[in-house]
Amino acid sequence: MAQDPSRPRFVAGAIGPTNKTCSLSKEVEHPENRDIDFDTLKDSYFTQAKALYDGGVDIFLIETIFDTLNSKAAIFACTSLFEAPGYKRIPIMISGTIIGQSGRTLSGQTNEAFLTSVSHAKPFSVGLNCALGADQMRPFLERVSNWTDTYVSAYPNAGLPNAMGEYDESPEVMAVKIVEFAKSGLLNIVGGCCGTRPIHIKAFADSIKGIKPRAKITQNQTLVLSGLEPLVFSKDILFVNIGERCNVTGSRIFAKMVREGNYEGCVNVAKKQVEEGAQVLDINFDEGMIDGKDAIQKFIRLLSSDPDVSRVPLMIDSSDFAVIEAGLKEVQGKCIVNSISLKEGEEDFIKKARIIRSYGAAVVVMAFDEEGQAVMADHKFKICERSYNILTKQVGFPPEDIIFDPNVLTICTGMEEHAEYAIEFLKSIEMIKANLPFARVSGGLSNLSFSFRGKEAIRQAMHSAFLFHAIKKGMDMAIVNAGALPIYTDIEPSLLKLVEDAIFNRDPDATDKILHYAETHGAGAKKEEVIQEWRTKPVGERLTHALVKGIDLHINADVEEARHLFDHPLKVIEGPLMDGMNVVGDLFGSGKMFLPQVIKSARVMKKAVAYLLPFLEEIKRKNLLELGLPEDAEVSSGKILMATVKGDVHDIGKNIVGVVLGCNNYKVIDLGVMVPREVILDTAVRENVDIIGLSGLITPSLSEMVLVAKEMERRGLKIPLMVGGATTSRIHAAVKIAPCYSGFSCHVLDASKSVVVAGALLDKDLERRQNFIDDLKELYDEEREDYLLNKTELKFVSLAEARAKKYQIDFKSQEAPIKPQFVSSTKVFEDYPLEKLVPFFDWNPFFQVWQLRGKYPNRNYPNLFKDADVGEEAQKVFNDAQVMLKMIIEEKLLTAKGVIGFYPCSGEGEDVVVYTNDDRTEVLKTFYGIRQQAQNLDATKPYKALGDFVAPKDSGIKDYIGLFAVSSGFGAAELVKKYEDQNDDYSAILVKAIADRFAEAFAEVLHAEVRKTYWGYAPEEELNPAQLLKLKYRGIRPAPGYPTQPDHLEKQTMWDLMKVQESTGIVLTDSMAMVPAASVSGLYFANEQSSYFSVGKITREQLDDYAARKGADVEEVARMMPNVCEFCFD
């Protein structure tokens, strides 16, 4: 600068992101945890900012922002410094970092949401740096440039890192891209990040010399909020719904959940509000028995882990300002504070407003002053006007960030002075909008109808009618129960007149008339008798009714009648039957029908088609040419091959998908279970199928699906591939399957989605079809990139450290282990009485088979029957199950067999060594264990393995282990086939689901008998079935292939020890699946400190060690537990 004073130089003090994050948890199982809080980070930033300022920097550069809440802490620190004596404000530059091609920060915000969240800093410039090269950064930089009204900066990396982590892009190559940025008007400030050197910067400067900088744009002055995404109060948005149900003062259910610590339920309430149309979420924890600060902190942290909920902005609602500030410290987006007012005077009002502004929030101002709550419109406006002037002129609050709540007050109280309250509110809206530029108006609707508590239909009608008129006056938003509001035009006319008479005080008797209406039209009113007239309707309508209701009583007669109306029986299928099934599909897709109903509909459809088949065959034989059909003509929307992959015997889910697809006129070729990939692909080619669908339940199936995809690629196939099943996921499909197959592949969540995906893949509109494929591929690419970026954050301890910090049990201080009744031998159960098992059924998995999922508090059995959406259908399926159960037991259609065994053993590291007899001199077998290895954030937390729960040999303590294998599936296959031969898929699936319940109950009952008798370490145990299902007993029964021991291969050791196949007939497949499928097996541990845990991910070091101990092939072991070994082959 001394050499050339005409070109001033400035020093920017860089304030980086740190290696901590305020918005994210590093523990998936504990999303509410944080490794740093806002205040700690803010204080650290303050120290740094002060040192930089004292050192003479000209600008603060808050950069490489991956978590917006971190940057808000830095902004808070900088602005706090500027308020200190002697520290005048200097410019602040802000630069964020976009992760991959997602267009989002690591904490999930879009460019626009991020910029909105930091706008209160009034930055000199905003922009992007790091993570991306210039090519990848460009689209996101353009979005920044188009959004912000300040200067824009960019300093990209020198391309993307190569395989060695180095950056290859030369100054000349980068300069060409920077010139394009400048010529396109995207830039004011440019620089370089990772991989760039001074020679790069010189090349940029030389190249852009003379190019006109980007011109600032002018934004519309309007309220903009943000969650993960922005919410712009544009002219296109007529009204914004603020969800009211996450409020302990307004929702007894929510308050009860909070008091009970059921925050999962609280998050589901929030999710439902968003699903039902809430664009902002109001959250309030003002209740005497609740710690508001702790509750709001935990709840917001949990919300941030759910992207569907956290995409919307929050309204932090409390009468305790300390709770409000606690909430503000957890929100990365731009939220609303509800509320402040003048009731404590101007000094308190200004203080709180400045604090709110320092966090970047908008504010709700209530129409209160030192005299109290305003009632009349003139007083309401007077308070709002005074507040507006203070905020804009003294505090510096942007007027567009001010929201007035002129107090919605209760009408119909019986007091004459309250009768005009609604009218006064409507008047005040007009006054505010006319005189206070850019300010917004909100209100809480529930106050209006408080007189009618318990009469929800009346209340919601009042809210809808009042809102209709308030919006016309200029109301911008309101706190509402978004899903409960009826459409204004749908309100019953006589009720609408009554509530509007009350709102506008047109009838002094309006209250009494509304109460009378409620008594005669409410839940207790006499219902008119519904006369079923469907049998008198035209045959097409009768067929539709029969299909929708699943009634097959008259189906043959109705189909026969319909056949005579058409010149070809095929037209009965294509016409009325498919019309009916389209109704079924629409109802199912919209959530108005449920899976059991659809399967019953399928049964009716199959019977209808079966009736027509002889007529179709006869016509084919007589006049094929006249019909213009090939000999193998099929009427279908497409041909789909489905198979459960090799090694897996589970097919309930696959069968349901097949039925639903069949309902929607797809030709399904079901190859059954345990199908080798060669058979799948050979059949697919031979049958010229349109789609291949793979199903699997156990984790080895994931690896098999990958092998199928690789083989499809090797063969050069382009058939779309759909995968589904309990262990599958979209992220697995994106990361493991999609890279192996250049054709289209995707994960399908459930049966209803299979129809949607199949329809899109076979859409005859080729452009629309390609758009669907491209969109989904792009989504999978983004998810894969996010996953690969985020997985590096998972840290591991060495195997030696994990072993050093193993779970410690002081075996010598415990009572000596009880010796089982028999050791080194087994007891076989040939035909366990089924009737003894029924009281121990856990019915919840049964309903999950049918995809009948209730909502809190009716999520689980038996409350599920009360659920408004699925309760009725759940009751029907349950009733059908009782009939089936009775028949199975009375006719002995299923047989339950099992075996248990006990063996001397000792713990040895992760493993359990089993001895030939109680002399313990000869090793018989070893059960190998895997130790947790993912680094614990809590340094005191141990790393568990199953071997920790058994006394080591050198302790001198004689310990024991138990084994079991049970099945109730003997006879199931024959019964299923019987129903399938009758085209009765519903009953076939019912049999499988019930057999599974018998097997799980058998395992539970037998474990209880082991504890009390056969092993006898808990002889006094008296637990009812509900307590057993909640694991209230001592000991555990982990199963190989599950989180505590994820290696399915360990089942083989159990089969060898107890001769399971010989003694019971339960067979292990090559992939360790059990046949019959309704089977359960596992190990018994008796120690009082034994507990279930999840191994999680491990490193290659432990995989090699584990395989070496077993004497097994490393890749074969990894194939049996792919999720655990996810990072072992990087």
Side-chain angles (χ1 to χ4, degrees):
M1 187 163 145
Q3 294 175 0
D4 185 2
S6 66
R7 296 184 62 204
R9 310 291 199 274
F10 301 97
V11 176
I15 299 176
T18 80
N19 61 351
K20 305 289 185 181
T21 168
C22 280
S23 293
L24 303 171
S25 172
K26 291 186 177 179
E27 295 180 274
V28 175
E29 65 274 22
H30 297 293
E32 73 279 13
N33 287 358
R34 298 290 184 270
D35 55 1
I36 197 167
D37 59 41
F38 184 92
D39 285 333
T40 302
L41 194 56
K42 174 201 66 178
D43 292 344
S44 297
Y45 277 136
F46 184 90
T47 301
Q48 182 185 14
K50 184 176 183 300
L52 289 169
Y53 195 106
D54 292 343
V57 301
D58 303 294
I59 302 166
F60 283 144
L61 172 57
I62 302 172
E63 58 148 358
T64 322
I65 298 162
F66 58 80
D67 180 349
T68 309
L69 190 53
N70 283 29
S71 68
K72 289 173 78 172
I75 292 167
F76 197 109
C78 293
T79 53
S80 298
L81 180 66
F82 299 151
E83 295 171 4
Y87 290 87
K88 294 182 179 180
R89 182 181 176 96
I90 61 175
I92 295 176
M93 297 173 64
I94 295 177
S95 184
T97 293
I98 297 300
I99 303 300
Q101 294 301 300
S102 66
R104 295 177 182 260
T105 62
L106 181 63
S107 55
Q109 283 196 308
T110 64
N111 280 286
E112 295 80 3
F114 161 64
L115 295 171
T116 300
S117 303
V118 300
S119 60
H120 64 288
K122 297 181 179 177
F124 172 75
S125 70
V126 295
L128 301 174
N129 75 285
C130 204
L132 304 173
D135 285 334
Q136 296 79 29
M137 184 180 287
R138 193 198 184 286
F140 310 122
L141 186 66
E142 185 172 15
R143 285 165 56 181
V144 171
S145 181
N146 290 338
W147 181 270
T148 186
D149 59 358
T150 189
Y151 296 117
V152 173
S153 69
Y155 47 117
N157 294 343
L160 296 177
N162 60 27
M164 303 306 294
E166 297 169 343
Y167 296 86
D168 301 325
E169 212 159 78
S170 69
E172 295 76 20
V173 172
M174 278 196 80
V176 172
K177 299 170 183 177
I178 297 299
V179 166
E180 192 277 326
F181 286 5
K183 287 183 176 179
S184 299
L186 305 183
L187 281 175
N188 300 102
I189 304 165
V190 68
C193 201
C194 300
T196 61
R197 306 187 302 279
I199 191 173
H200 286 78
I201 309 304
K202 184 179 187 304
F204 302 166
D206 292 342
S207 299
I208 62 174
K209 191 177 295 182
I211 300 176
K212 187 177 179 180
R214 166 187 173 273
K216 282 187 179 182
I217 64 172
T218 300
Q219 286 183 324
N220 291 327
Q221 195 167 356
T222 188
L223 175 61
V224 184
L225 305 172
S226 64
L228 294 183
E229 299 170 7
L231 174 62
V232 182
F233 282 66
S234 65
K235 293 179 181 178
D236 297 330
I237 295 183
L238 180 65
F239 179 77
V240 167
N241 294 294
I242 304 173
E244 70 173 358
R245 308 312 293 168
C246 298
N247 186 322
V248 297
T249 63
S251 170
R252 285 174 294 180
I253 292 174
F254 187 79
K256 183 174 184 289
M257 285 191 248
V258 175
R259 286 193 295 270
E260 293 174 350
N262 179 15
Y263 282 90
E264 179 186 353
C266 293
V267 172
N268 287 335
V269 171
K271 185 178 291 188
K272 184 177 180 183
Q273 288 281 282
V274 174
E275 289 171 351
E276 292 178 343
Q279 294 148 287
V280 178
L281 278 178
D282 178 81
I283 56 176
N284 180 291
F285 294 90
D286 286 359
E287 206 262 14
M289 299 305 295
I290 295 172
D291 183 336
K293 289 170 66 175
D294 179 71
I296 202 165
Q297 178 193 70
K298 186 170 186 177
F299 185 57
I300 293 174
R301 288 180 175 184
L302 288 169
L303 287 184
S304 70
S305 68
D306 190 316
D308 292 331
V309 179
S310 56
R311 66 180 176 82
V312 305
L314 298 180
M315 175 179 275
I316 310 297
D317 184 355
S318 180
S319 57
D320 183 344
F321 197 74
V323 174
I324 286 175
E325 194 165 5
L328 288 170
K329 292 174 181 177
E330 300 298 332
V331 180
Q332 70 165 328
K334 180 179 178 181
C335 63
I336 304 172
V337 166
N338 186 13
S339 60
I340 59 173
S341 73
L342 286 165
K343 66 182 177 181
E344 301 295 335
E346 286 191 8
E347 184 179 349
D348 176 77
F349 181 75
I350 291 170
K351 178 184 176 182
K352 289 175 178 173
R354 283 179 172 156
I355 292 173
I356 292 166
R357 181 63 183 156
S358 68
Y359 288 99
V363 66
V364 173
V365 180
M366 300 293 294
F368 284 78
D369 63 6
E370 296 87 344
E371 297 175 9
Q373 179 174 252
V375 172
M376 305 306 290
D378 288 341
H379 190 199
K380 291 175 189 281
F381 174 70
K382 182 180 177 182
I383 295 173
C384 292
E385 182 182 42
R386 179 183 167 203
S387 302
Y388 181 91
N389 290 331
I390 293 171
L391 288 172
T392 57
K393 295 175 182 178
Q394 296 184 50
V395 180
F397 230 96
E400 64 270 21
D401 285 355
I402 301 170
I403 304 161
F404 289 110
D405 184 341
N407 310 327
V408 178
L409 302 176
T410 305
I411 60 173
C412 299
T413 64
M415 301 176 69
E416 186 177 345
E417 59 266 34
H418 297 171
E420 298 276 319
Y421 277 174
I423 298 172
E424 294 298 323
F425 183 89
L426 295 174
K427 287 180 181 178
S428 72
I429 297 174
E430 291 183 297
M431 297 170 75
I432 291 168
K433 301 298 279 191
N435 296 283
L436 305 178
F438 307 110
R440 300 287 173 170
V441 178
S442 180
L445 287 188
S446 59
N447 291 342
L448 179 78
S449 62
F450 198 68
S451 297
F452 298 103
R453 281 173 296 172
K455 303 183 185 305
E456 287 305 308
I458 300 297
R459 296 193 72 182
Q460 297 307 331
M462 289 182 72
H463 298 166
S464 181
F466 180 70
L467 201 54
F468 175 78
H469 295 288
I471 291 171
K472 281 187 171 182
K473 299 291 185 183
M475 191 175 188
D476 301 285
M477 63 192 88
I479 300 174
V480 299
N481 185 357
L485 281 180
I487 299 171
Y488 178 78
T489 54
D490 288 347
I491 301 172
E492 197 274 320
S494 61
L495 176 59
L496 179 60
K497 181 180 185 305
L498 291 174
V499 298
E500 289 191 333
D501 284 348
I503 289 169
F504 293 105
N505 194 23
R506 296 189 296 224
D507 184 346
D509 298 323
T511 302
D512 292 336
K513 290 178 179 179
I514 291 173
L515 288 172
H516 178 71
Y517 182 95
E519 290 169 1
T520 56
H521 292 77
K526 185 178 179 181
K527 297 180 180 178
E528 295 182 8
E529 184 179 356
V530 178
I531 302 173
Q532 294 187 350
E533 299 182 286
W534 72 279
R535 292 305 304 160
T536 65
K537 293 182 178 180
V539 67
E541 293 182 40
R542 298 202 304 271
L543 287 171
T544 295
H545 184 91
L547 288 164
V548 171
K549 300 298 183 182
I551 302 170
D552 63 1
L553 184 62
H554 310 282
I555 194 64
N556 286 355
D558 286 346
V559 170
E560 174 63 15
E561 182 179 339
R563 187 174 70 84
H564 289 288
L565 299 178
F566 296 92
D567 59 4
H568 196 290
L570 184 58
K571 292 184 178 179
V572 179
I573 298 173
E574 293 177 324
L577 288 176
M578 282 314 303
D579 289 343
M581 289 312 299
N582 286 335
V583 173
V584 171
D586 290 342
L587 291 171
F588 183 56
S590 63
K592 296 174 183 176
M593 274 184 81
F594 304 102
L595 197 58
Q597 296 167 308
V598 173
I599 290 176
K600 289 177 181 177
S601 299
R603 179 170 58 189
V604 177
M605 181 68 169
K606 284 188 175 183
K607 289 190 175 182
V609 173
Y611 179 85
L612 291 169
L613 278 176
F615 299 100
L616 288 168
E617 292 298 327
E618 182 66 21
I619 291 175
K620 276 187 179 182
R621 283 193 296 269
K622 287 184 176 180
N623 210 356
L624 243 181
L625 292 176
E626 181 181 332
L627 290 172
L629 295 172
E631 198 170 303
D632 59 346
E634 294 176 349
V635 181
S636 73
S637 300
K639 192 184 293 186
I640 301 176
L641 180 148
M642 299 185 64
T644 300
V645 296
K646 180 183 176 184
D648 201 325
V649 298
H650 300 88
D651 65 350
I652 291 180
K654 173 179 64 66
N655 290 351
I656 289 173
V657 172
V659 168
V660 173
L661 287 170
C663 289
N664 285 269
N665 205 30
Y666 290 94
K667 170 69 174 176
V668 177
I669 301 172
D670 189 342
L671 297 183
V673 301
M674 296 182 62
V675 187
R677 53 186 176 274
E678 295 80 10
V679 174
I680 293 171
L681 301 185
D682 289 346
T683 306
V685 172
R686 184 175 63 252
E687 296 290 339
N688 193 28
V689 301
D690 299 298
I691 297 172
I692 295 174
L694 303 180
S695 175
L697 177 75
I698 60 176
T699 48
S701 298
L702 298 177
S703 298
E704 184 63 24
M705 289 175 182
V706 172
L707 294 175
V708 173
K710 288 182 176 179
E711 180 63 12
M712 292 176 74
E713 181 70 12
R714 191 190 70 79
R715 294 190 183 197
L717 300 180
K718 295 299 178 186
I719 304 170
L721 174 64
M722 302 193 305
V723 300
T727 59
T728 62
S729 66
R730 192 167 73 185
I731 191 65
H732 179 267
V735 175
K736 297 293 185 181
I737 294 177
C740 299
Y741 181 46
S742 58
F744 177 82
S745 62
C746 72
H747 171 254
V748 178
L749 183 64
D750 56 31
S752 64
K753 299 297 187 298
S754 68
V755 177
V756 176
V757 174
L761 289 175
L762 302 181
D763 197 327
K764 289 181 169 51
D765 185 326
L766 297 182
E767 182 179 357
R768 191 164 56 203
R769 175 181 181 272
Q770 193 58 47
N771 286 340
F772 170 81
I773 292 172
D774 291 343
D775 288 348
L776 212 55
K777 279 192 171 183
E778 182 178 345
L779 172 66
Y780 277 36
D781 289 343
E782 291 174 357
E783 294 221 347
R784 184 163 55 253
E785 289 170 10
D786 287 347
Y787 169 83
L788 294 174
L789 284 166
N790 292 335
K791 79 167 190 175
T792 58
E793 292 188 355
L794 187 63
K795 296 181 179 179
F796 297 93
V797 298
S798 67
L799 185 55
E801 183 179 349
R803 285 170 171 167
K805 295 180 179 179
K806 62 176 283 188
Y807 185 74
Q808 300 286 347
I809 296 178
D810 186 356
F811 292 97
K812 292 188 178 180
S813 69
Q814 296 179 335
E815 293 184 7
I818 300 294
K819 184 176 181 179
Q821 282 187 0
F822 50 91
V823 175
S824 301
S825 61
T826 61
K827 178 177 178 61
V828 177
F829 300 85
E830 288 287 351
D831 188 2
Y832 199 93
L834 295 178
E835 59 273 15
K836 288 186 177 182
L837 303 179
V838 176
F840 297 88
F841 271 27
D842 179 0
W843 284 101
N844 289 310
F846 172 83
F847 293 111
Q848 290 165 13
V849 166
W850 299 99
Q851 298 179 15
L852 292 170
R853 303 178 180 96
K855 297 181 178 65
Y856 185 90
N858 301 318
R859 184 180 302 149
N860 295 322
Y861 169 85
N863 290 342
L864 178 66
F865 300 142
K866 303 175 187 176
D867 186 82
D869 294 328
V870 303
E872 183 179 352
E873 192 57 36
Q875 185 69 68
K876 290 179 184 177
V877 178
F878 182 75
N879 293 343
D880 291 343
Q882 302 311 302
V883 174
M884 181 73 75
L885 261 177
K886 186 172 184 293
M887 182 182 72
I888 287 172
I889 293 172
E890 290 180 352
E891 299 181 21
K892 297 186 180 300
L893 299 176
L894 298 180
T895 302
K897 298 180 181 181
V899 59
I900 58 174
F902 304 103
Y903 299 87
C905 67
S906 62
E908 188 174 295
E910 291 76 54
D911 307 331
V912 179
V913 176
V914 177
Y915 300 101
T916 305
N917 53 46
D918 228 351
D919 293 340
R920 300 171 186 261
T921 56
E922 182 182 349
V923 174
L924 180 60
K925 292 283 184 181
T926 299
F927 286 103
Y928 295 95
I930 305 172
R931 189 168 298 283
Q932 292 173 316
Q933 206 177 355
Q935 186 178 53
N936 293 322
L937 294 180
D938 181 353
T940 64
K941 195 174 178 182
Y943 297 87
K944 295 181 180 180
L946 280 175
D948 299 342
F949 301 143
V950 178
K953 189 173 184 180
D954 59 13
S955 68
I957 296 171
K958 292 187 174 183
D959 213 339
Y960 301 89
I961 191 170
L963 320 178
F964 75 95
V966 299
S967 178
S968 59
F970 296 99
E974 294 79 3
L975 192 55
V976 167
K977 186 176 186 305
K978 169 190 166 185
Y979 287 119
E980 288 179 342
D981 289 346
Q982 297 171 1
N983 289 325
D984 189 354
D985 295 294
Y986 177 78
S987 295
I989 294 171
L990 201 60
V991 169
K992 295 178 184 180
I994 290 173
D996 282 345
R997 293 304 89 221
F998 271 122
E1000 293 290 350
F1002 193 4
E1004 199 66 73
V1005 169
L1006 204 52
H1007 193 193
E1009 292 181 6
V1010 163
R1011 294 191 300 274
K1012 293 193 287 185
T1013 305
Y1014 298 120
W1015 198 334
Y1017 61 79
E1020 306 300 322
E1021 178 186 296
E1022 290 294 336
L1023 298 175
N1024 60 39
Q1027 290 170 317
L1028 289 178
L1029 294 176
K1030 292 180 179 178
L1031 309 180
K1032 297 295 184 182
Y1033 47 76
R1034 169 181 158 182
I1036 57 174
R1037 53 177 178 91
Y1042 287 82
T1044 305
Q1045 168 40 293
D1047 184 2
H1048 284 271
L1049 290 168
E1050 289 297 291
K1051 290 177 191 168
Q1052 190 61 59
T1053 305
M1054 296 167 53
W1055 257 245
D1056 292 344
L1057 277 171
M1058 295 194 296
K1059 309 297 181 190
V1060 174
Q1061 182 170 339
E1062 295 84 345
S1063 59
T1064 66
I1066 306 172
V1067 177
L1068 277 185
T1069 70
D1070 291 343
S1071 291
M1072 300 294 113
M1074 294 175 284
V1075 180
S1079 301
V1080 181
S1081 63
L1083 311 176
Y1084 294 134
F1085 289 80
N1087 193 281
E1088 60 193 86
Q1089 290 183 235
S1090 60
S1091 62
Y1092 294 103
F1093 61 91
S1094 177
V1095 167
K1097 315 292 185 188
I1098 64 172
T1099 65
R1100 180 61 185 261
E1101 177 194 19
Q1102 181 165 193
L1103 174 61
D1104 289 342
D1105 182 271
Y1106 178 74
R1109 297 200 314 272
K1110 288 172 67 82
D1113 178 73
V1114 171
E1115 292 194 359
E1116 173 65 11
V1117 171
R1119 189 179 72 82
M1120 299 306 292
M1121 46 181 189
N1123 291 335
V1124 173
C1125 301
E1126 193 168 3
F1127 302 153
C1128 293
F1129 295 95
D1130 292 349

